[in-house]
């Protein structure tokens, strides 16, 4: 895993969170711009999934492979599931669901970095 990809994921997640918080304050339902932002985030996460699997295959680190790959797959699926539930609830609650999905991605990214570093907490 590379530091710059990790930073890009966190930066896009933070930008999406700011966009969602602004629209929550404005009392707006989920917009197309939110779903486009989540799609961009998910494409980056797909790259991270592929790159992480390749990095895991080439590394000599003490990394729990099954846990690492399961986190990669889960963090990739979170925006998709969040978008699905947000589309099912086309109100302000849908925007909140998207915000929770983005926050979950950021939290899982932090844990994913700990797993990659070999910290077994």
């Amino acid at each position: 895993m590379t530091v710059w990809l990790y930073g890009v994921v966190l930066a896009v997640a933070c930008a999406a969170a700011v966009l969602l918080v602004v629209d929550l304050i404005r009392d707006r339902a989920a917009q197309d711009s939110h779903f486009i932002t989540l799609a961009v985030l998910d494409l980056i996460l797909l790259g991270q999934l592929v790159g992480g699997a390749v990095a895991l295959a080439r590394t000599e680190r003490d990394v729990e492979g099954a846990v690492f790959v399961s986190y990669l797959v889960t963090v990739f699926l979170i925006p998709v599931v969040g978008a699905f539930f947000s589309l099912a609830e086309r109100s302000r609650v849908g925007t909140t669901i998207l915000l929770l999905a983005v926050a979950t991605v950021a939290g899982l990214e932090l844990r994913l970095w700990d797993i990659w570093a070999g910290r077994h907490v």
Side-chain angles (χ1 to χ4, degrees), residues 26-107:
R26 295 171 69 191
D27 198 25
R28 294 177 60 187
Q31 307 292 317
D32 289 341
S33 62
H34 301 141
F35 295 110
I36 291 170
T37 306
L38 250 63
V40 169
L41 179 62
D42 213 32
L43 285 174
I44 296 168
L45 290 172
L46 178 62
Q48 184 183 37
L49 172 64
V50 172
V54 169
L56 179 64
R58 293 181 176 181
T59 191
E60 297 290 327
R61 294 176 180 226
D62 181 28
V63 178
E64 295 181 29
V67 173
F68 183 70
V69 172
S70 66
Y71 267 86
L72 285 172
V73 171
T74 302
V75 77
F76 170 71
L77 292 176
I78 291 293
V80 175
V81 172
F84 174 76
F85 282 114
S86 178
L87 286 171
E89 180 59 49
R90 299 294 291 184
S91 67
R92 186 174 179 214
V93 174
T95 307
T96 307
I97 291 169
L98 291 179
L99 180 60
L100 290 173
V102 169
T104 303
V105 166

